[in-house]
Each structure stands twice: as C-alpha cells, then as structure tokens.
Amino acid sequence: MALLEAKPTLSSIGTTTISVFETGEYEVNSITVESRGSSIDSPPPKSLLIFTPVKAGTYPVLHFLHGFALYNSFYSDLLTHIASHGYIAIAPQLYNPIWPWDSGYDEINSAAAVTNWFSQGLKLVLPEKVEADLTKLALAGHSRGGKAAFALALGTYAQTLISFSVLIGIDPVAGENKDNQLPPEILTSQEQSLNLGIPVMVVGTGLGCKQAGLLTPPCAPTGVNHEEFFKESKPTRGHMVVTDYGHMDMLNDNPPGIIGQVSGIMCKNGKGSRDVMRKCVGGIVVATIKAYVEKDATVLKAIIDDPTIAPTTLDPIVLDEA
Amino acid sequence: MALLEAKPTLSSIGTTTISVFETGEYEVNSITVESRGSSIDSPPPKSLLIFTPVKAGTYPVLHFLHGFALYNSFYSDLLTHIASHGYIAIAPQLYNPIWPWDSGYDEINSAAAVTNWFSQGLKLVLPEKVEADLTKLALAGHSRGGKAAFALALGTYAQTLISFSVLIGIDPVAGENKDNQLPPEILTSQEQSLNLGIPVMVVGTGLGCKQAGLLTPPCAPTGVNHEEFFKESKPTRGHMVVTDYGHMDMLNDNPPGIIGQVSGIMCKNGKGSRDVMRKCVGGIVVATIKAYVEKDATVLKAIIDDPTIAPTTLDPIVLDEA
C-alpha cells in the first residue's frame, strides 16, 4: 500500500505533467528594481525584473539571463508562467540593448554580481511574507544569455557566493561559428568537455538554425547552438528541441519599440502561436527545476516518456542521467 | 596679373566648390577583396570594398570605417561619390554586423592592421596603372566607426606604419553617454583634450540626437556625439552639421536584408532624399581631403564662406584653424 502511494498512478502523473504547460496555481506580481536611483539601501548591481508569487511562502529562485540586445521585459509572459508554478523568477537587464557593447566577460561578471546580491538584497524588495529559498537556485538564459549562463555555471570566469542546482540553456548560442565564438570561448568541440558539476537541460528550437531571409544568417547556427551545448555537457543532461518554433518565439507577442520590432524580424519564427511556445518552454523549465532543484523528477520523466503531452512537438527529446 | 591668377575668380571658385557636391569626373569601379579564400598572396586582414578611379593615375587614399553593426557595402553610393573626385576609397568590413561582438579595441586593432596592409597589398588588387599614393592618406569613419577613427588616429591604442594626414568623423558616437562610453573611453569632457596632431573635420547630423520612437534612445546622443568630438579636438578643426538629416542618412537608399531594414528604422531619418545627404557629406569629405591632404583649401573655405552652396543646410559650420 505504501509503495503504491509512493508511486503516483498514471492519471495523476498525467494531470501534474500537463499542468506544468498551463498557468500554475499562484497569482504572480512583477516588481521592477532599479540599480540606480533606487530608494533601497543596497540596490542591485543591475536593474531587475522580478516575477513572484503573491501568496506568503518560501519559494525556489530562477535567475534568468536575457538574450543579445534584448530587454528583460520581453520575457515577462514566459517568466510569469514559470513563477505561477511557485517560483521567484529574476531577470536582470545585463546591459542596454541599444548599446550592446558589454563583452562576454562583462556579461558573466554582471550576472555573478546580481547572484551575489540576492542574499542581502532580495529580502528588501520581495513582498512581505514572500521569501526566496536561495538553497534552491536555478540558472537559465536565452541565446547569448544561455551561453553566459553556461559560462557563469562553469565557475572559472566569475565566482558566486551561492550555488546553482541546475542550469537551463534556452536555445543557447556561442557565436557565429566555432572559430568566431563570443569570448570566453567555452565550446571546444569535445564531447562532455564542460565541467559544470550540475544537471543541465538544453532547450533547442527547430528553426533557430534556419535563415529568416536570404541575406540574414541564422540566429542559432549549427555548430554553436543547442546541439553542441548538449553534446559538450556531461550527464545528467537533457535535450528537448521545440521542432516547429524559432529562436525568438519564447518572447512576448509583439515586443514594443524598435528593439522589439528588430527581435521580430531577425530570426526565422514559427507559424504557430507564441503562447504555445512559451507554455512549452515554461513547462520544461518548471519540470527541470522540480526534478533537479526540488528533487522530484516525476513530471520531467513523464514528459520524456510521452512527449505528446507537451503543447507542441519536442523532437529530439533526450534525458541522459549520470 | 600673377596675383590675380593665383587667386581664382569668384566664378571659378563657385564652379569648383559646387562640383564637390556633384559626381566627379572619374569613372569609378568597385573591387571586393576577401580576407579569406582570396587568390592573392597577401590577403588583407579584413575583407575590403575598394572604390577606385578606372583611369590610370596615382590617387590619394581614404580609409573609411563603417558604423556599428553595418555592412561596408551600405556606404557604396557615398564612397563612389568620393572616389569619383579622384580618390581611392577603401572600406574594410571590421566585423560581421550580425555578430557585432568585437570590442572597441578589436575594432581599432583591425583598422590599424588594414592600414598596415595597404603598403604591400594594395598594388596586388588595384587595376593596372592605378596607384595609391600612401603619402596622401585620409582616415574617416561613421558613428562607432567615427569614434574608432579618432581612437586610431590618437596612435596610443594601435600603431600604423603610415600616417594619416587628416581625420574626418561622420556623425561619430562614443557610446550611450559620458559614463557609458565604448572602451577605450577617449572623451574626457575637457576642451581640446584629444592629441591627434592632424586636422580634424567633424560632420554632424541635426537629427542624430533625436529619438526615432518613444522607446528608442537617440543614435547619436548629446554629450557623446559630433559636438563633443569637435569640442575635444584641437585646431585645425572643422565642424559642419547637416541640419535636416539623421544619423543613417548617408547610407544607400534601402540597404538590403534585415540588417539593412534595421538600419532604416533605428535612427531618426530626415525627410529629404538621401542622395542630397550623400552628396553633401561626400562633398565635405572631398573638400576636406583637398584642403589637408592635397593642401588646397580653396573649396573648403568657399563652403565656409557661403554654406548655401551645399545641397542642404549646414548649421553650425565652423573652421577653427591652428
């Protein structure tokens, strides 16, 4: 009897699993914290967008790094989805997208500085009775931010005072090609060469390696994209490719301004609704945090066992456990 | 009689002056030289677009540095205009505009390496009987490339084996603001602090400091744009602001591809024809080279004396001689 209870029935797995792809049970608020001119005593080193459950409680934290020349606000729908499952999602603005001149090293140092600020600063800005559990910390990033997340997790370029329990790369990109990577050049072409020491989930897009137009190179070129990041990670490592969507499709619908317009035309986009893509990517992130931060892999394994429960095609889909 | 002949009559000044704003007498060809896979023995360190008179002769050279995340080919109309007046205009592609991750230092080093290649390499790629006179070398750049040109001319960040006789900044931009300059930070806020040692012409745009849209910062913000570059240059220095045009208006009409589309929407553009802007900027460049490379300031002074001979309004217009 005890054994049976410990293992959920198929129908309950199904319900839980599908639910990560839907909005979660927590009402979510967003908080903007400025790095300059803030009224708090210890402002963060970079301005932050924080998505947090409103309900009193203690929640795991996701540190999310935006892509090249993008605003953190363009990910608000995706991050709200994740937070609605009971997480505090924090997205710094690592540099001004109009002046995207920070080096790869600057970006990693900024992300580390923000992480180091969490311990002292988060309690100053979170709602009353909402607490961040910094023993349960996940790191994710999109595109160049995905590569920065890998580099930060390596621990050799910048040190953080608190540790990440899992790394999630969302269509990570290391540069133009193997020979023109954004420094630091972390891809080596060698299988399992990345000494991360934590589980890794790499979410890819099927259209990221395609061109948006004749004169436009792909946003996530073969050789420096999700396939290579997965190949160079050690187990435990997962790889899920959202077949019918593109490199920017996890962003909000029609992000505003000229930077938003540019984000809409630079990469080959999928034909389906971005809401489906955001729910799919958000669900994978939630399932991965549940598995490797909260140590409950039920949902993640259910997705691996039956990828059709995801709202759009995932192919390939691999979980390679240590 | 000799004196009268030495000083051209007003009508002949007028004709010569106006002509710098029209297509010159030389037929121009463009040559593409690849940095890799080139059949020549000593390929240039960066791929080049060269605009050269077809007619046999020896011509002064203009080294032109493109703006941030732009293709050198987007300047082909402007550079053809300049070359048609009897100059060899050479525009390297300093980095891939889709992966504009080169640091400010990389950019300066690349421009220096290209300059150093001229002595050995130009003769391999120029048409027969066309020769570059490298004792008559001008340096120009647009936007971030204008700032790179200033930094290269300073001589402290990279050395060139041959010297520049004049520096022309075309709506140069040093960064987001005084406190967020692209390294190296060459602007100091101090009058005449740039030790360039050669005459400088700064061409500004009246609309460069305006926003293209509510959410888009200006492309050439006040404090780090042409005004500041002029202020920090020492005499001999010129300053001419094309009042009714914007930061990208000296580019070709409708540059192709998505990078081209982006160049068309990022900055506030003038309402007039870009052809007028290109002729105006091209004419100022030609007059400046004539004055400080070929030591004939007749045309430049005529423009200063009567700015209405330019095809569009120049205001302010200043020539501050040493």
Side-chain angles (χ1 to χ4, degrees):
Chain A
M1 206 44 200
L3 266 176
L4 274 176
E5 280 176 358
K7 184 167 179 172
T9 62
L10 191 61
S11 70
S12 78
I13 291 178
T15 309
T16 315
T17 308
I18 292 167
S19 75
V20 300
F21 296 116
E22 297 300 335
T23 302
E25 63 183 289
Y26 292 87
E27 191 190 337
V28 173
N29 268 357
S30 75
I31 304 167
T32 303
V33 188
E34 300 294 341
S35 60
R36 296 180 200 181
S38 172
S39 59
I40 62 169
D41 278 347
S42 305
K46 296 286 169 181
S47 295
L48 307 177
L49 257 183
I50 302 178
F51 299 85
T52 173
V54 174
K55 192 178 164 190
T58 301
Y59 304 96
V61 174
L62 171 69
H63 187 180
F64 178 86
L65 311 182
H66 62 79
F68 182 60
L70 294 170
Y71 285 105
N72 51 3
S73 58
F74 292 0
Y75 300 90
S76 63
D77 288 352
L78 174 68
L79 296 174
T80 298
H81 178 103
I82 294 166
S84 78
H85 287 272
Y87 303 102
I88 297 168
I90 305 174
Q93 186 65 47
L94 295 169
Y95 48 85
N96 186 331
I98 297 277
W99 310 100
W101 293 342
D102 273 32
S103 72
Y105 295 100
D106 293 337
E107 189 177 15
I108 298 162
N109 286 332
S110 298
V114 168
T115 308
N116 291 337
W117 173 89
F118 288 168
S119 310
Q120 57 179 116
L122 273 182
K123 57 181 175 289
L124 306 175
V125 298
L126 288 174
E128 216 185 326
K129 296 182 183 167
V130 168
E131 281 187 41
D133 182 352
L134 291 173
T135 67
K136 293 181 178 167
L137 181 61
L139 176 63
H142 169 231
S143 189
R144 170 172 157 166
K147 177 259 167 88
F150 269 80
L152 178 59
L154 283 171
T156 47
Y157 301 105
Q159 277 73 49
T160 55
L161 305 171
I162 42 178
S163 322
F164 302 104
S165 298
V166 70
L167 169 64
I168 303 160
I170 300 174
D171 224 19
V173 179
E176 181 181 9
N177 55 48
K178 272 285 167 52
D179 299 324
N180 188 16
Q181 294 181 46
L182 173 72
E185 302 190 359
I186 62 171
L187 294 181
T188 61
S189 302
Q190 303 299 309
E191 284 263 1
Q192 303 192 19
S193 55
L194 292 164
N195 292 312
L196 294 158
I198 51 173
V200 179
M201 174 60 70
V202 183
V203 182
T205 63
L207 306 180
C209 60
K210 314 281 187 204
Q211 296 178 254
L214 211 61
L215 293 166
T216 313
C219 285
T222 302
V224 283
N225 69 13
H226 59 97
E227 291 171 348
E228 192 64 27
F229 278 94
F230 174 67
K231 177 184 134 187
E232 299 195 19
S233 296
K234 296 182 202 296
T236 295
R237 57 180 182 171
H239 189 202
M240 299 193 187
V241 180
V242 192
T243 314
D244 299 326
Y245 281 89
H247 186 64
M248 292 290 193
D249 282 329
M250 71 295 295
L251 269 57
N252 293 356
D253 292 354
N254 306 311
I258 284 167
I259 292 283
Q261 280 184 53
V262 172
S263 77
I265 61 173
M266 284 298 290
C267 310
K268 188 162 180 68
N269 301 323
K271 291 186 180 137
S273 150
R274 281 194 167 177
D275 191 50
V276 170
M277 174 62 164
R278 289 188 296 261
K279 284 179 165 153
C280 185
V281 172
I284 295 170
V285 171
V286 169
T288 303
I289 299 177
K290 281 186 189 298
Y292 300 114
V293 177
E294 302 182 281
K295 311 297 179 196
D296 176 1
T298 320
V299 179
L300 186 64
K301 293 204 169 159
I303 301 171
I304 295 287
D305 289 346
D306 180 10
T308 66
I309 57 178
T312 182
T313 308
L314 294 174
D315 182 27
I317 176 165
V318 177
L319 184 62
D320 179 9
E321 294 187 287
Chain B
M1 206 44 200
L3 265 175
L4 274 175
E5 279 176 2
K7 183 167 179 171
T9 61
L10 191 61
S11 70
S12 77
I13 291 178
T15 309
T16 316
T17 309
I18 291 167
S19 75
V20 300
F21 296 116
E22 297 299 335
T23 302
E25 63 183 291
Y26 292 88
E27 191 191 336
V28 172
N29 268 358
S30 74
I31 304 167
T32 303
V33 188
E34 300 293 343
S35 60
R36 296 181 200 182
S38 172
S39 60
I40 62 170
D41 278 347
S42 305
K46 296 285 169 182
S47 296
L48 307 177
L49 257 181
I50 300 178
F51 299 85
T52 173
V54 174
K55 191 178 165 189
T58 301
Y59 303 97
V61 174
L62 171 69
H63 187 180
F64 177 86
L65 311 181
H66 63 77
F68 182 60
L70 294 170
Y71 285 106
N72 52 1
S73 58
F74 292 0
Y75 300 90
S76 63
D77 288 352
L78 174 68
L79 297 174
T80 298
H81 178 102
I82 294 166
S84 77
H85 287 272
Y87 303 103
I88 297 169
I90 305 175
Q93 186 66 48
L94 295 169
Y95 47 83
N96 186 330
I98 297 279
W99 310 99
W101 292 342
D102 273 31
S103 72
Y105 295 101
D106 293 338
E107 189 177 15
I108 298 162
N109 287 331
S110 299
V114 168
T115 308
N116 290 337
W117 173 88
F118 288 169
S119 311
Q120 59 180 115
L122 272 181
K123 57 181 175 289
L124 306 175
V125 299
L126 287 175
E128 214 184 329
K129 298 185 183 166
V130 168
E131 281 187 41
D133 182 352
L134 292 173
T135 66
K136 294 182 178 167
L137 181 60
L139 176 63
H142 168 232
S143 189
R144 170 172 157 167
K147 177 257 165 87
F150 269 80
L152 177 59
L154 283 171
T156 47
Y157 301 105
Q159 277 72 48
T160 55
L161 305 172
I162 43 179
S163 323
F164 302 104
S165 298
V166 69
L167 169 64
I168 303 160
I170 301 175
D171 224 20
V173 179
E176 180 182 9
N177 55 48
K178 272 282 167 53
D179 299 325
N180 188 16
Q181 293 180 48
L182 174 72
E185 302 189 359
I186 63 170
L187 294 182
T188 61
S189 302
Q190 303 300 310
E191 283 265 0
Q192 303 192 19
S193 55
L194 291 163
N195 292 312
L196 294 158
I198 51 174
V200 179
M201 174 60 69
V202 183
V203 182
T205 63
L207 306 181
C209 61
K210 314 279 186 204
Q211 296 178 253
L214 210 61
L215 293 165
T216 313
C219 285
T222 303
V224 284
N225 68 14
H226 59 97
E227 291 171 348
E228 192 63 27
F229 278 94
F230 174 68
K231 177 184 133 188
E232 299 196 17
S233 296
K234 296 184 203 293
T236 297
R237 57 180 181 169
H239 190 202
M240 299 194 188
V241 180
V242 193
T243 314
D244 299 326
Y245 281 89
H247 186 64
M248 293 290 193
D249 281 329
M250 71 295 295
L251 271 57
N252 292 356
D253 291 354
N254 305 312
I258 285 166
I259 291 284
Q261 279 185 54
V262 172
S263 78
I265 60 172
M266 282 300 287
C267 308
K268 187 161 181 68
N269 301 323
K271 291 185 179 136
S273 151
R274 281 194 167 176
D275 190 49
V276 170
M277 174 63 164
R278 288 188 298 261
K279 284 179 166 152
C280 186
V281 173
I284 295 170
V285 171
V286 169
T288 304
I289 298 177
K290 282 186 187 300
Y292 301 113
V293 177
E294 302 181 280
K295 313 296 180 195
D296 176 359
T298 319
V299 179
L300 186 63
K301 294 206 168 158
I303 301 171
I304 296 286
D305 288 345
D306 180 9
T308 66
I309 58 179
T312 182
T313 309
L314 295 174
D315 182 25
I317 175 163
V318 177
L319 183 63
D320 179 10
E321 294 188 285

